[in-house]
Short mmCIF file of all heavy atoms in Angstrom, two decimals:
data_model
loop_
_atom_site.label_atom_id
_atom_site.label_comp_id
_atom_site.label_asym_id
_atom_site.label_seq_id
_atom_site.Cartn_x
_atom_site.Cartn_y
_atom_site.Cartn_z
N MET A 1002 20.58 135.54 102.42
CA MET A 1002 20.10 134.19 102.15
C MET A 1002 21.03 133.53 101.00
O MET A 1002 21.20 134.17 100.01
CB MET A 1002 18.65 134.23 101.64
CG MET A 1002 18.14 132.88 101.20
SD MET A 1002 16.43 133.02 100.63
CE MET A 1002 15.69 131.89 101.77
N ARG A 1003 21.47 132.39 101.19
CA ARG A 1003 22.34 131.70 100.28
C ARG A 1003 21.49 130.83 99.31
O ARG A 1003 20.57 130.13 99.71
CB ARG A 1003 23.29 130.72 101.02
CG ARG A 1003 24.28 130.03 100.17
CD ARG A 1003 25.35 129.31 101.03
NE ARG A 1003 26.30 128.71 100.12
CZ ARG A 1003 26.32 127.51 99.80
NH1 ARG A 1003 25.42 126.69 100.24
NH2 ARG A 1003 27.27 127.05 98.97
N THR A 1004 21.73 130.96 98.04
CA THR A 1004 21.03 130.17 97.04
C THR A 1004 21.74 128.80 96.88
O THR A 1004 22.92 128.70 97.02
CB THR A 1004 20.94 130.92 95.70
OG1 THR A 1004 22.21 131.15 95.21
CG2 THR A 1004 20.16 132.15 95.85
N ALA A 1005 20.92 127.83 96.49
CA ALA A 1005 21.52 126.47 96.30
C ALA A 1005 22.32 126.48 95.09
O ALA A 1005 22.00 127.11 93.99
CB ALA A 1005 20.36 125.55 96.19
N GLU A 1006 23.47 125.71 95.13
CA GLU A 1006 24.30 125.59 93.93
C GLU A 1006 23.65 124.61 92.93
O GLU A 1006 22.92 123.66 93.32
CB GLU A 1006 25.60 124.93 94.32
CG GLU A 1006 26.50 125.89 95.12
CD GLU A 1006 27.00 127.07 94.40
OE1 GLU A 1006 27.36 126.92 93.17
OE2 GLU A 1006 26.93 128.22 94.97
N PRO A 1007 23.83 124.76 91.65
CA PRO A 1007 23.25 123.84 90.65
C PRO A 1007 23.82 122.41 90.96
O PRO A 1007 24.93 122.24 91.32
CB PRO A 1007 23.80 124.28 89.32
CG PRO A 1007 24.17 125.77 89.58
CD PRO A 1007 24.56 125.86 91.04
N ARG A 1008 22.88 121.42 90.77
CA ARG A 1008 23.25 120.06 91.06
C ARG A 1008 23.97 119.34 89.91
O ARG A 1008 24.54 118.29 90.10
CB ARG A 1008 22.03 119.26 91.45
CG ARG A 1008 21.43 119.69 92.77
CD ARG A 1008 20.12 119.04 93.15
NE ARG A 1008 20.11 117.72 92.57
CZ ARG A 1008 18.97 116.98 92.63
NH1 ARG A 1008 17.93 117.33 93.24
NH2 ARG A 1008 18.97 115.72 92.00
N THR A 1009 23.86 119.90 88.72
CA THR A 1009 24.48 119.14 87.59
C THR A 1009 25.28 120.21 86.74
O THR A 1009 25.08 121.33 86.85
CB THR A 1009 23.38 118.59 86.68
OG1 THR A 1009 22.66 119.61 86.10
CG2 THR A 1009 22.47 117.54 87.40
N LEU A 1010 26.13 119.64 85.94
CA LEU A 1010 26.95 120.51 85.06
C LEU A 1010 26.06 121.21 84.06
O LEU A 1010 26.19 122.38 83.77
CB LEU A 1010 27.95 119.67 84.27
CG LEU A 1010 28.83 120.42 83.24
CD1 LEU A 1010 29.66 121.60 83.87
CD2 LEU A 1010 29.76 119.46 82.56
N LEU A 1011 25.00 120.56 83.56
CA LEU A 1011 24.08 121.21 82.71
C LEU A 1011 23.39 122.43 83.33
O LEU A 1011 23.27 123.46 82.76
CB LEU A 1011 22.99 120.18 82.20
CG LEU A 1011 21.91 120.72 81.32
CD1 LEU A 1011 22.53 121.38 80.07
CD2 LEU A 1011 20.95 119.61 80.88
N ALA A 1012 22.91 122.25 84.57
CA ALA A 1012 22.29 123.35 85.31
C ALA A 1012 23.30 124.43 85.50
O ALA A 1012 22.89 125.65 85.35
CB ALA A 1012 21.73 122.82 86.62
N TRP A 1013 24.55 124.14 85.82
CA TRP A 1013 25.59 125.15 86.01
C TRP A 1013 25.84 125.93 84.73
O TRP A 1013 25.90 127.17 84.76
CB TRP A 1013 26.89 124.46 86.52
CG TRP A 1013 27.94 125.52 86.82
CD1 TRP A 1013 28.09 126.17 87.98
CD2 TRP A 1013 29.01 125.96 85.95
NE1 TRP A 1013 29.20 127.00 87.85
CE2 TRP A 1013 29.74 126.90 86.63
CE3 TRP A 1013 29.32 125.64 84.64
CZ2 TRP A 1013 30.85 127.55 86.04
CZ3 TRP A 1013 30.46 126.26 84.08
CH2 TRP A 1013 31.13 127.19 84.78
N LEU A 1014 25.94 125.22 83.56
CA LEU A 1014 26.11 125.88 82.29
C LEU A 1014 24.95 126.80 81.93
O LEU A 1014 25.12 127.89 81.43
CB LEU A 1014 26.39 124.86 81.21
CG LEU A 1014 27.69 124.14 81.30
CD1 LEU A 1014 27.74 122.99 80.35
CD2 LEU A 1014 28.91 125.04 81.03
N CYS A 1015 23.71 126.32 82.15
CA CYS A 1015 22.55 127.20 81.84
C CYS A 1015 22.49 128.40 82.71
O CYS A 1015 22.25 129.42 82.25
CB CYS A 1015 21.26 126.30 82.06
SG CYS A 1015 20.95 125.09 80.79
N ASP A 1016 22.89 128.21 84.03
CA ASP A 1016 22.88 129.40 84.90
C ASP A 1016 23.98 130.37 84.51
O ASP A 1016 23.77 131.56 84.42
CB ASP A 1016 23.20 128.94 86.30
CG ASP A 1016 21.96 128.31 87.03
OD1 ASP A 1016 20.91 128.36 86.46
OD2 ASP A 1016 22.12 127.79 88.13
N ARG A 1017 25.22 129.84 84.11
CA ARG A 1017 26.32 130.67 83.73
C ARG A 1017 25.98 131.46 82.51
O ARG A 1017 26.31 132.70 82.43
CB ARG A 1017 27.52 129.74 83.40
CG ARG A 1017 28.70 130.62 83.03
CD ARG A 1017 29.83 129.71 82.44
NE ARG A 1017 29.35 129.29 81.08
CZ ARG A 1017 30.13 128.44 80.32
NH1 ARG A 1017 31.29 128.05 80.70
NH2 ARG A 1017 29.62 128.18 79.12
N ASP A 1018 25.33 130.89 81.52
CA ASP A 1018 25.07 131.57 80.27
C ASP A 1018 23.63 132.21 80.26
O ASP A 1018 23.19 132.74 79.26
CB ASP A 1018 25.18 130.64 79.12
CG ASP A 1018 26.60 130.12 78.89
OD1 ASP A 1018 27.59 130.81 79.42
OD2 ASP A 1018 26.82 129.09 78.32
N ARG A 1019 22.98 132.10 81.38
CA ARG A 1019 21.56 132.66 81.51
C ARG A 1019 20.62 132.11 80.45
O ARG A 1019 20.01 132.86 79.76
CB ARG A 1019 21.54 134.13 81.58
CG ARG A 1019 22.31 134.65 82.78
CD ARG A 1019 22.10 136.17 82.97
NE ARG A 1019 22.61 136.62 84.20
CZ ARG A 1019 23.71 137.32 84.39
NH1 ARG A 1019 24.42 137.70 83.35
NH2 ARG A 1019 24.11 137.69 85.56
N LEU A 1020 20.60 130.80 80.22
CA LEU A 1020 19.82 130.15 79.25
C LEU A 1020 18.84 129.18 79.85
O LEU A 1020 19.11 128.59 80.94
CB LEU A 1020 20.70 129.29 78.31
CG LEU A 1020 21.83 129.98 77.54
CD1 LEU A 1020 22.71 129.02 76.90
CD2 LEU A 1020 21.19 130.94 76.49
N VAL A 1021 17.66 129.02 79.28
CA VAL A 1021 16.79 127.94 79.69
C VAL A 1021 17.26 126.74 78.94
O VAL A 1021 18.05 126.78 77.95
CB VAL A 1021 15.32 128.26 79.32
CG1 VAL A 1021 14.77 129.52 80.10
CG2 VAL A 1021 15.09 128.49 77.84
N TYR A 1022 16.80 125.57 79.41
CA TYR A 1022 17.39 124.34 78.81
C TYR A 1022 17.19 124.30 77.30
O TYR A 1022 18.05 123.87 76.60
CB TYR A 1022 16.63 123.08 79.47
CG TYR A 1022 17.03 121.85 78.69
CD1 TYR A 1022 18.21 121.30 78.75
CD2 TYR A 1022 16.03 121.21 77.89
CE1 TYR A 1022 18.59 120.09 78.07
CE2 TYR A 1022 16.35 120.12 77.18
CZ TYR A 1022 17.60 119.58 77.27
OH TYR A 1022 17.94 118.45 76.61
N ARG A 1023 16.02 124.71 76.79
CA ARG A 1023 15.70 124.60 75.39
C ARG A 1023 16.74 125.47 74.57
O ARG A 1023 17.21 124.95 73.53
CB ARG A 1023 14.30 125.15 75.08
CG ARG A 1023 13.88 125.12 73.67
CD ARG A 1023 13.30 123.82 73.18
NE ARG A 1023 12.34 123.27 74.07
CZ ARG A 1023 12.04 121.97 74.21
NH1 ARG A 1023 12.64 121.13 73.40
NH2 ARG A 1023 11.12 121.59 74.97
N GLN A 1024 17.12 126.60 75.01
CA GLN A 1024 18.07 127.41 74.37
C GLN A 1024 19.48 126.67 74.38
O GLN A 1024 20.18 126.72 73.38
CB GLN A 1024 18.26 128.82 74.99
CG GLN A 1024 17.06 129.65 74.87
CD GLN A 1024 17.14 130.90 75.71
OE1 GLN A 1024 17.43 130.81 76.88
NE2 GLN A 1024 16.94 132.05 75.10
N PHE A 1025 19.87 126.13 75.50
CA PHE A 1025 21.08 125.47 75.63
C PHE A 1025 21.18 124.25 74.65
O PHE A 1025 22.16 124.08 73.97
CB PHE A 1025 21.31 124.92 77.04
CG PHE A 1025 22.62 124.23 77.21
CD1 PHE A 1025 23.76 124.88 77.55
CD2 PHE A 1025 22.71 122.81 76.97
CE1 PHE A 1025 24.98 124.26 77.68
CE2 PHE A 1025 23.99 122.21 77.09
CZ PHE A 1025 25.07 122.91 77.49
N GLU A 1026 20.04 123.55 74.60
CA GLU A 1026 19.95 122.38 73.65
C GLU A 1026 20.17 122.80 72.23
O GLU A 1026 20.86 122.17 71.48
CB GLU A 1026 18.67 121.64 73.90
CG GLU A 1026 18.52 120.38 73.01
CD GLU A 1026 17.21 119.76 73.14
OE1 GLU A 1026 16.15 120.41 73.32
OE2 GLU A 1026 17.14 118.51 73.09
N GLU A 1027 19.51 123.87 71.86
CA GLU A 1027 19.63 124.39 70.48
C GLU A 1027 21.13 124.70 70.14
O GLU A 1027 21.60 124.35 69.10
CB GLU A 1027 18.76 125.60 70.19
CG GLU A 1027 17.30 125.26 70.17
CD GLU A 1027 16.43 126.56 70.20
OE1 GLU A 1027 16.96 127.64 70.23
OE2 GLU A 1027 15.22 126.34 70.18
N ARG A 1028 21.81 125.37 71.09
CA ARG A 1028 23.22 125.70 70.87
C ARG A 1028 24.06 124.49 70.84
O ARG A 1028 24.99 124.31 70.02
CB ARG A 1028 23.70 126.66 71.98
CG ARG A 1028 23.14 128.06 71.82
CD ARG A 1028 23.83 128.93 72.86
NE ARG A 1028 23.22 130.32 72.78
CZ ARG A 1028 23.63 131.24 73.49
NH1 ARG A 1028 24.63 131.13 74.36
NH2 ARG A 1028 23.10 132.44 73.39
N PHE A 1029 23.71 123.54 71.68
CA PHE A 1029 24.56 122.26 71.73
C PHE A 1029 24.43 121.49 70.44
O PHE A 1029 25.43 121.06 69.90
CB PHE A 1029 23.98 121.33 72.90
CG PHE A 1029 24.79 120.16 73.22
CD1 PHE A 1029 25.72 120.20 74.16
CD2 PHE A 1029 24.51 118.95 72.53
CE1 PHE A 1029 26.56 119.07 74.41
CE2 PHE A 1029 25.25 117.78 72.76
CZ PHE A 1029 26.27 117.92 73.73
N ILE A 1030 23.24 121.48 69.91
CA ILE A 1030 23.07 120.78 68.57
C ILE A 1030 23.75 121.53 67.51
O ILE A 1030 24.39 120.88 66.58
CB ILE A 1030 21.50 120.63 68.28
CG1 ILE A 1030 20.86 119.60 69.25
CG2 ILE A 1030 21.25 120.19 66.84
CD1 ILE A 1030 19.39 119.59 69.24
N GLU A 1031 23.68 122.84 67.50
CA GLU A 1031 24.32 123.63 66.42
C GLU A 1031 25.87 123.38 66.45
O GLU A 1031 26.46 123.21 65.37
CB GLU A 1031 24.05 125.06 66.61
CG GLU A 1031 22.68 125.57 66.31
CD GLU A 1031 22.43 127.01 66.68
OE1 GLU A 1031 23.37 127.71 67.10
OE2 GLU A 1031 21.27 127.47 66.57
N VAL A 1032 26.45 123.36 67.60
CA VAL A 1032 27.87 123.14 67.68
C VAL A 1032 28.23 121.73 67.27
O VAL A 1032 29.16 121.40 66.55
CB VAL A 1032 28.42 123.37 69.14
CG1 VAL A 1032 29.81 122.98 69.33
CG2 VAL A 1032 28.28 124.87 69.43
N GLY A 1033 27.40 120.74 67.65
CA GLY A 1033 27.61 119.30 67.27
C GLY A 1033 27.62 119.17 65.80
O GLY A 1033 28.45 118.41 65.17
N VAL A 1034 26.67 119.87 65.11
CA VAL A 1034 26.64 119.82 63.69
C VAL A 1034 27.84 120.46 63.02
O VAL A 1034 28.39 119.88 62.02
CB VAL A 1034 25.35 120.43 63.08
CG1 VAL A 1034 25.34 120.62 61.60
CG2 VAL A 1034 24.11 119.57 63.52
N ARG A 1035 28.26 121.55 63.56
CA ARG A 1035 29.56 122.20 63.06
C ARG A 1035 30.74 121.36 63.25
O ARG A 1035 31.61 121.18 62.34
CB ARG A 1035 29.74 123.51 63.75
CG ARG A 1035 29.10 124.68 63.08
CD ARG A 1035 29.61 126.03 63.58
NE ARG A 1035 28.83 126.19 64.86
CZ ARG A 1035 29.29 126.95 65.87
NH1 ARG A 1035 30.45 127.54 65.87
NH2 ARG A 1035 28.57 127.03 66.97
N LEU A 1036 30.82 120.59 64.37
CA LEU A 1036 31.97 119.79 64.67
C LEU A 1036 31.96 118.39 63.88
O LEU A 1036 32.92 117.96 63.47
CB LEU A 1036 32.10 119.53 66.14
CG LEU A 1036 32.47 120.69 67.00
CD1 LEU A 1036 32.38 120.36 68.46
CD2 LEU A 1036 33.83 121.25 66.71
N PHE A 1037 30.82 117.81 63.88
CA PHE A 1037 30.68 116.41 63.41
C PHE A 1037 29.84 116.26 62.15
O PHE A 1037 29.63 115.13 61.66
CB PHE A 1037 30.12 115.56 64.51
CG PHE A 1037 30.88 115.64 65.82
CD1 PHE A 1037 30.28 116.22 66.92
CD2 PHE A 1037 32.17 115.13 65.91
CE1 PHE A 1037 30.94 116.34 68.09
CE2 PHE A 1037 32.84 115.23 67.13
CZ PHE A 1037 32.31 115.81 68.26
N GLY A 1038 29.28 117.29 61.66
CA GLY A 1038 28.31 117.18 60.53
C GLY A 1038 26.98 116.78 61.02
O GLY A 1038 26.73 116.62 62.23
N ASN A 1039 26.02 116.67 60.11
CA ASN A 1039 24.66 116.31 60.45
C ASN A 1039 24.50 114.75 60.47
O ASN A 1039 24.29 114.18 59.49
CB ASN A 1039 23.71 116.87 59.54
CG ASN A 1039 22.25 116.95 60.00
OD1 ASN A 1039 22.08 116.59 61.17
ND2 ASN A 1039 21.35 117.34 59.17
N SER A 1040 24.69 114.16 61.69
CA SER A 1040 24.68 112.73 61.82
C SER A 1040 23.79 112.32 62.95
O SER A 1040 23.82 113.06 64.01
CB SER A 1040 26.15 112.17 62.07
OG SER A 1040 26.14 110.88 62.41
N PRO A 1041 23.07 111.18 62.84
CA PRO A 1041 22.33 110.68 63.98
C PRO A 1041 23.20 110.23 65.16
O PRO A 1041 22.63 110.03 66.20
CB PRO A 1041 21.51 109.59 63.36
CG PRO A 1041 22.24 109.14 62.20
CD PRO A 1041 22.95 110.39 61.63
N ASN A 1042 24.49 110.11 64.90
CA ASN A 1042 25.40 109.71 65.96
C ASN A 1042 25.99 110.86 66.75
O ASN A 1042 26.92 110.58 67.60
CB ASN A 1042 26.46 108.85 65.40
CG ASN A 1042 25.91 107.55 64.79
OD1 ASN A 1042 24.98 106.99 65.24
ND2 ASN A 1042 26.49 107.14 63.65
N ASN A 1043 25.63 112.06 66.48
CA ASN A 1043 26.12 113.23 67.24
C ASN A 1043 25.81 113.08 68.73
O ASN A 1043 24.83 112.58 69.09
CB ASN A 1043 25.55 114.53 66.64
CG ASN A 1043 26.18 114.94 65.35
OD1 ASN A 1043 27.01 114.21 64.87
ND2 ASN A 1043 25.73 116.01 64.85
N PRO A 1044 26.63 113.73 69.54
CA PRO A 1044 26.38 113.72 71.01
C PRO A 1044 25.04 114.44 71.23
O PRO A 1044 24.65 115.33 70.53
CB PRO A 1044 27.53 114.52 71.56
CG PRO A 1044 28.45 114.67 70.52
CD PRO A 1044 27.84 114.40 69.28
N THR A 1045 24.38 114.03 72.36
CA THR A 1045 23.18 114.64 72.80
C THR A 1045 23.30 115.03 74.28
O THR A 1045 24.20 114.67 74.95
CB THR A 1045 21.95 113.74 72.63
OG1 THR A 1045 22.16 112.54 73.45
CG2 THR A 1045 21.70 113.32 71.17
N CYS A 1046 22.40 115.87 74.72
CA CYS A 1046 22.35 116.19 76.17
C CYS A 1046 20.92 116.08 76.63
O CYS A 1046 20.01 116.13 75.84
CB CYS A 1046 22.91 117.54 76.44
SG CYS A 1046 21.97 118.93 75.79
N GLY A 1047 20.75 115.97 78.00
CA GLY A 1047 19.34 115.88 78.48
C GLY A 1047 19.31 116.47 79.88
O GLY A 1047 20.34 116.59 80.55
N GLU A 1048 18.15 116.88 80.31
CA GLU A 1048 17.92 117.54 81.49
C GLU A 1048 18.13 116.64 82.70
O GLU A 1048 18.63 117.07 83.77
CB GLU A 1048 16.49 118.09 81.66
CG GLU A 1048 16.36 119.36 80.83
CD GLU A 1048 14.98 119.95 81.02
OE1 GLU A 1048 14.01 119.51 80.41
OE2 GLU A 1048 14.84 120.94 81.83
N SER A 1049 17.84 115.36 82.52
CA SER A 1049 18.03 114.44 83.63
C SER A 1049 19.43 114.00 83.78
O SER A 1049 20.22 113.89 84.57
CB SER A 1049 17.10 113.26 83.50
OG SER A 1049 17.50 112.58 82.30
#
């Protein structure tokens, strides 16, 4: 049986790293703060 491929890059990254969305979001925010400092203008990501 063939499994469906992830429909979004976010889904693919979560599958690749075996993360649920919440864990991915936490890592994404941590890296954003390291790269850009703690700013309300930092990049964000979303499930949709």
